[in-house]
Amino acid sequence: MTDTLVLNKDAQDLLFRSARTANTFTDEPVTEEQLRTIYDLVKYGPTAMNNQPLRVTAVRSPEARERLVKHMAGSNAPKTSTAPLTLVLSADSAFHEHFPKTFPVVPEARENFSGMPVEARESMALQNALLQVAYLIVGVRAAGLAAGPMTGFDAEGVRKEFFGEDSTQTPLVVMNIGKPGPDAWFDRLPRLDYEEAVTEL
């Protein structure tokens, strides 16, 4: 089955089969250069009209981490307090402001989207930012690091804490990244088989 894939088996395993959501991390730092390299790879993943609504807030300082941890739910709080780097991943409903750069093939795109109801832009931002979150998880793995994405947090609290009440950014996922620590993995849970997930018409 793997012979049909161009990517070699070791890379397939690194990105998917052997990769897991990490719950603990070592104290080895994740550098700005590493994060920049990951972003510069995954930014090429497709989004609708190349809208790229994902915004990444890298939480490094103890002060910023303390502000974030208080909004994390249950066991996500201690995970976040000890990870070497935590990212707040948000959808920006003002993505259209970048259209002169990101979608120059339609010069009137920014103006057209400015006239839309904000709810329509928020929906588009949500759908496409979640795609970009998935790309980012794979990019973290490609860098030899582990990702611990979480949605158990007070999103409105994080938005007000870091971006302000009137911000166009809506936090979607908080993701710890780093080298996996002791007992980092839960047991692998079953996946749906092809026949359970795919319908051919």
Side-chain angles (χ1 to χ4, degrees):
M1 183 68 70
T2 57
D3 291 343
T4 63
L5 300 175
V6 175
L7 202 64
N8 70 57
K9 185 178 182 301
D10 288 343
Q12 296 170 31
D13 290 343
L14 176 70
L15 299 180
F16 294 101
R17 296 190 195 91
S18 300
R20 312 285 283 279
T21 294
N23 295 286
T24 69
F25 298 88
T26 71
D27 58 3
E28 182 177 334
V30 177
T31 66
E32 181 183 346
E33 180 181 4
Q34 286 174 297
L35 182 58
R36 182 181 295 273
T37 300
I38 292 166
Y39 178 79
D40 283 343
L41 173 65
V42 303
K43 69 183 181 182
Y44 292 105
T47 54
M49 297 178 67
N50 198 32
N51 64 354
Q52 303 174 59
L54 182 68
R55 303 292 176 261
V56 180
T57 303
V59 178
R60 292 187 186 277
S61 71
E63 296 79 13
R65 188 176 302 275
E66 184 176 347
R67 290 167 56 202
L68 177 59
V69 166
K70 68 183 182 182
H71 297 290
M72 303 302 296
S75 62
N76 290 340
K79 294 178 193 178
T80 303
S81 67
T82 56
L85 178 62
T86 301
L87 308 178
V88 177
L89 305 176
S90 304
D92 186 3
S93 62
F95 59 83
H96 60 295
E97 296 296 339
H98 295 277
F99 271 162
K101 175 180 179 178
T102 62
F103 204 59
V105 293
V106 180
E108 66 275 16
R110 177 169 63 181
E111 182 179 352
N112 290 344
F113 273 73
S114 294
M116 283 185 177
V118 67
E119 293 81 9
R121 291 199 308 270
E122 287 173 344
S123 176
M124 190 172 180
L126 171 65
Q127 294 170 359
N128 288 275
L130 286 173
L131 280 176
Q132 291 186 279
V133 170
Y135 305 145
L136 186 61
I137 292 170
V138 176
V140 167
R141 294 171 175 180
L145 301 172
M150 302 166 288
T151 56
F153 64 97
D154 178 3
E156 184 62 18
V158 171
R159 186 174 73 88
K160 292 178 180 177
E161 183 78 40
F162 288 93
F163 311 125
E165 291 191 18
D166 298 325
S167 175
T168 58
Q169 294 191 43
T170 300
L172 303 176
V173 175
V174 173
M175 189 164 73
N176 295 321
I177 64 174
K179 293 287 187 180
D183 301 317
W185 323 117
F186 295 145
D187 291 339
R188 170 76 80 187
L189 294 173
R191 266 42 178 184
L192 294 178
D193 293 329
Y194 180 90
E195 292 76 13
E196 297 171 296
V198 178
T199 301
E200 296 202 29
L201 302 177

